[in-house]
Amino acid sequence: MIALGCDHGGYELMQEVIAYLEKKGLEYQNFGCDSTAAVDYPVYAKKVARAVQSGQCEKGILICGTGIGISIAANRFRGIRAALCGDCFSAEATRLHNDANILAMGGRVTGPGLAVKIVDTFLNTEFSKEERHVNRVRGIDED
Ligand code: RB5
C-alpha cells in the first residue's frame, strides 16, 4: 500500500501519479488534498508520514510545488526518510543507499513524463542491504 499526499502545488502532478499507479494495478491510499485550492503542505506530509511510520503503508509519495516543504515536514518524523528526487539516478540511489520510504517531488519542477519514471524507479528498487548502508541508515535515527 502506497500513501499519497500533496498540496495544491502538487495536485496536478499527483493525478498523473495516480493514473500510473492505477495502470500498474498498485494499491494506494490517498490522503489528499483534493483540488488546486490552497492548503498547507505540513498537513498532508504528516498524514503520509504517520501512515508510513505506523506500517499502515509500506511507502509514500508526497508532492508540493517544489517538493521541499513537504519533504522537510515528513522528515521530522522518526523513521521517515523522505527523499526529494528530480531524476531517476537519485530515485534509484536513495532506495539502494538510504532505504528511503517516501518519495517527494516538485509539481512545479518536474514534468509528468519524468515524474512517472521517477516513481517507477523508486517503487521498483530494493534497498541494497549492504552493511555500510545499513549502518548509515541506522545512524540517522541515533541521538
Ligand atoms: C505553495 O505555494 C508552495 O509554497 C508549496 O507547494 C511548496 O513549494 C513548499 O515548499
Side-chain angles (χ1 to χ4, degrees), residues 7-10 39 41 63-70 108:
D7 75 353
H8 53 291
V39 292
Y41 59 79
I63 310 178
C64 67
T66 58
I68 297 171
I70 210 158
R108 296 171 184 158

Side-chain angles (χ1 to χ4, degrees), residues 5 9 20 22-23 37 47 51 60-61 65 67 73 87 94 98 101 107 118 125 136 143:
Y20 162 82
E22 288 189 349
K23 194 173 97 188
K47 287 176 193 280
I61 299 173
D87 63 89
T94 198
N98 315 125
N101 45 21
I118 291 170
T125 305
R136 290 166 187 162
D143 290 325

Side-chain angles (χ1 to χ4, degrees), residues 17 42 50 131:
V17 171
R50 288 195 180 111
E131 194 179 349

